[in-house]
């Protein structure tokens, strides 16, 4: 589920020119990580990216990832948002073309190890129509997610509340599911029920007009509130708890944290993608670092940990990079430092300059973000700040948003 442009506001300014699902984490588009997890499933028939971004934004990516992974990946565009379950239902005929026995549904804005084979095995043993990936989080952070109660023995989902105001449980919904095709029946029931209620209102009551404006369109169905909550405790849904890493990626700060998590996962899944720093002509590499093959890095630069460098980046002598994402076509000049920052495409950082932050990934200005085509002139320090695209900075700034 890749969603669409209206959902990405918290992700600005990095989502101005790139749809959030294509923003690189560990050098690969965000959506590449769940697709790679699907690729590891035996008998995979198809991968569908379902969203309401324009087709052209995904066309190139979908054809390159299909070639690279040798998996059929298609982008299916909704004409309007249908909600996370409604979107699946909208494309049910296409999804059922290969008569799949199971359907995995993955939110694109979560970062985890996607333990799909383990989930499928647990699901097969349960006899239900769906199994959710769940994780224990701190009681203070649980209310940002769907909170749930599961049977400790059978793992059945007993109770589910989406982002409750009062604490229910520290066990939360990870946004990763496996379903049998019976899920389509459950979604259809919600739509039909809504249609019936809407028709009833039309023929009766004075409140009709008022309540009709409050109710959702019949084809807009949310997986959490409309499906998980009512089906809990009916022996239809089960849970699988992950003990591995899991994070949600709603802000640019979290994308830096998740880039680090995926880089460290590469040590086990794709070690060839990590820079080694071997050889006298290569820069010094510390910890997990991704460097696109087209990037040019001076051998006296020192890079890492948690650095991801995209295509055609040029890094000059004496540069130091720590915990950052450097997007395409960026130039970083001699002796500059970038630390806890995202540097947008086509930006340039001058000699002896710094783009830096404390690295509090949950705070609004906890990382520094330079939008697309930002120029930081020589000897300028940008600290804990967000700079919108196409700006030139010739004086230092701190804890500021440059519009
Ligand atoms: N195609 C499509 N169409 N995708 C959608 C739509 C839609 O109309 N609405 C949401 N999505 C996608 C989003 O892009 C995201 O990948 C996923 O569905 C869930 O988004 P939201 O419905 O906005 O929910 P959320 O992210 O705030 O919370 C959900 O995920 C959490 C885990 O990250 C809930 O399911 C929580 O319970 C859960 O903890």
């Amino acid at each position: 589920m890749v969603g669409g442009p209206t959902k990405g506001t918290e992700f600005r300014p990095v989502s101005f020119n790139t749809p959030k699902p294509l923003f690189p984490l560990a050098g690969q588009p965000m959506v590449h990580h769940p697709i790679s997890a699907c690729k590891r499933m035996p008998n995979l028939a198809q991968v569908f990216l379902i969203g309401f971004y324009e087709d052209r934004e995904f066309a190139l990516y979908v054809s390159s990832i299909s070639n690279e992974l040798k998996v059929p990946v298609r982008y299916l565009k909704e004409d309007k948002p249908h909600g996370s379950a409604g979107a699946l239902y909208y494309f049910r005929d296409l999804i059922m073309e290969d008569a799949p026995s199971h359907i995995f549904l993955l939110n694109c804005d979560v970062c985890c190890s996607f333990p799909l084979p383990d989930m499928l095995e647990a699901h097969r043993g349960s006899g239900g129509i769906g199994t959710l990936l769940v994780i224990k989080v701190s009681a203070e952070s649980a209310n940002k997610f769907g909170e749930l109660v599961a049977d400790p023995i059978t793992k059945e989902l007993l109770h589910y509340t989406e982002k409750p105001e009062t604490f229910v449980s520290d066990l939360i919904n990870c946004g990763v599911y496996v379903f049998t095709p019976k899920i389509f029946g459950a979604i259809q029931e919600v739509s039909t029920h809504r249609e019936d209620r809407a028709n009833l209102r039309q023929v009766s009551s004075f409140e009709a007009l008022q309540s009709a404006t409050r109710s959702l369109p019949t084809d807009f169905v949310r997986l959490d509130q409309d499906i998980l909550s009512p089906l809990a405790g009916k022996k239809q849904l089960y849970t699988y708890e992950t003990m591995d890493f899991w994070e949600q990626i709603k802000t640019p700060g979290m994308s830096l944290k998740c880039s680090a998590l995926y880089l460290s996962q590469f040590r086990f899944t794709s070690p060839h993608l990590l820079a080694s720093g071997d050889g006298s002509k290569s820069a010094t590499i510390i910890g997990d670092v991704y460097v696109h093959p087209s990037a040019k890095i001076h051998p006296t630069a020192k890079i890492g940990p948690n650095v991801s460098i995209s295509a055609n980046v040029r890094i000059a002598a004496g540069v130091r990079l720590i915990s950052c994402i450097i997007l395409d076509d960026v130039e970083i000049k001699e002796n500059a430092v970038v630390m806890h920052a995202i540097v947008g495409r086509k930006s340039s950082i001058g000699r002896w300059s710094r783009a830096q932050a404390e690295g509090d990934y949950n705070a609004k200005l906890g990382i520094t973000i330079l939008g697309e085509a930002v120029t930081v002139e020589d000897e300028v320090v940008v600290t804990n700040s967000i700079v919108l695209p196409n700006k030139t900075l010739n004086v230092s700034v701190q804890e500021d948003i440059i519009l």
Side-chain angles (χ1 to χ4, degrees), residues 150-381:
D151 185 295
I153 311 287
T154 64
K155 309 295 176 198
E156 186 196 343
L157 178 74
L158 297 177
H159 178 74
Y160 185 93
T161 319
E162 185 61 23
K163 304 184 182 93
E165 278 174 22
T166 44
F167 179 73
V168 174
S169 161
D170 57 2
L171 201 57
I172 62 125
N173 172 14
C174 293
V176 177
Y177 315 82
V178 55
F179 294 115
T180 67
K182 284 189 182 150
I183 187 66
F184 293 120
I187 304 171
Q188 188 176 14
E189 256 179 51
V190 175
S191 294
T192 315
H193 187 64
R194 277 220 193 110
E195 249 164 58
D196 292 348
R197 275 207 324 238
N199 290 341
L200 250 177
R201 276 195 224 105
Q202 270 176 13
V203 289
S204 67
S205 132
F206 302 112
E207 293 163 50
L209 211 69
Q210 267 194 323
S211 55
T213 51
R214 274 202 305 268
S215 58
L216 291 164
T218 51
D219 59 355
F220 187 92
V221 185
R222 300 155 302 183
L223 192 57
D224 25 49
Q225 286 105 312
D226 301 327
I227 304 287
L228 304 184
S229 291
L231 286 189
K234 295 195 174 138
K235 298 206 170 5
Q236 307 239 41
L237 296 173
Y238 291 81
T239 59
Y240 176 82
E241 186 176 347
T242 177
M243 300 296 165
D244 220 338
F245 66 95
W246 181 87
E247 296 289 346
Q248 196 183 34
I249 320 161
K250 293 286 184 202
T251 60
M254 283 311 293
S255 73
L256 259 189
K257 182 168 185 187
C258 294
S259 198
L261 290 168
Y262 280 140
L263 282 171
S264 67
Q265 193 195 28
F266 280 176
R267 277 188 243 153
F268 308 101
T269 58
S270 325
H272 61 282
L273 291 176
L274 292 173
S276 64
D278 289 345
S280 57
K281 284 202 179 135
S282 128
T284 304
I285 302 288
I286 299 163
D288 299 327
V289 170
Y290 169 83
V291 179
H292 190 274
S294 62
K296 296 219 170 2
I297 302 183
H298 195 275
T300 59
K302 199 168 173 183
I303 295 172
N306 182 24
V307 172
S308 153
I309 297 176
S310 297
N312 305 316
V313 168
R314 285 145 294 149
I315 307 236
V319 165
R320 181 74 177 100
L321 305 181
I322 301 170
S323 185
C324 55
I325 296 176
I326 312 290
L327 299 182
D328 294 358
D329 304 309
V330 165
E331 179 173 19
I332 304 185
K333 297 185 184 165
E334 286 78 7
N335 305 309
V337 174
V338 180
M339 187 163 70
H340 303 302
I342 295 174
V343 182
R345 283 196 301 179
K346 298 187 181 136
S347 290
S348 119
I349 300 186
R351 293 173 188 84
W352 297 101
S353 289
R354 298 174 76 99
Q356 62 187 15
E358 281 144 20
D360 176 354
Y361 299 133
N362 293 310
K364 185 154 189 234
L365 296 177
I367 67 163
T368 279
I369 305 169
L370 307 185
E372 184 164 323
V374 166
T375 303
V376 176
E377 294 195 341
D378 293 350
E379 296 172 35
V380 168
V381 181

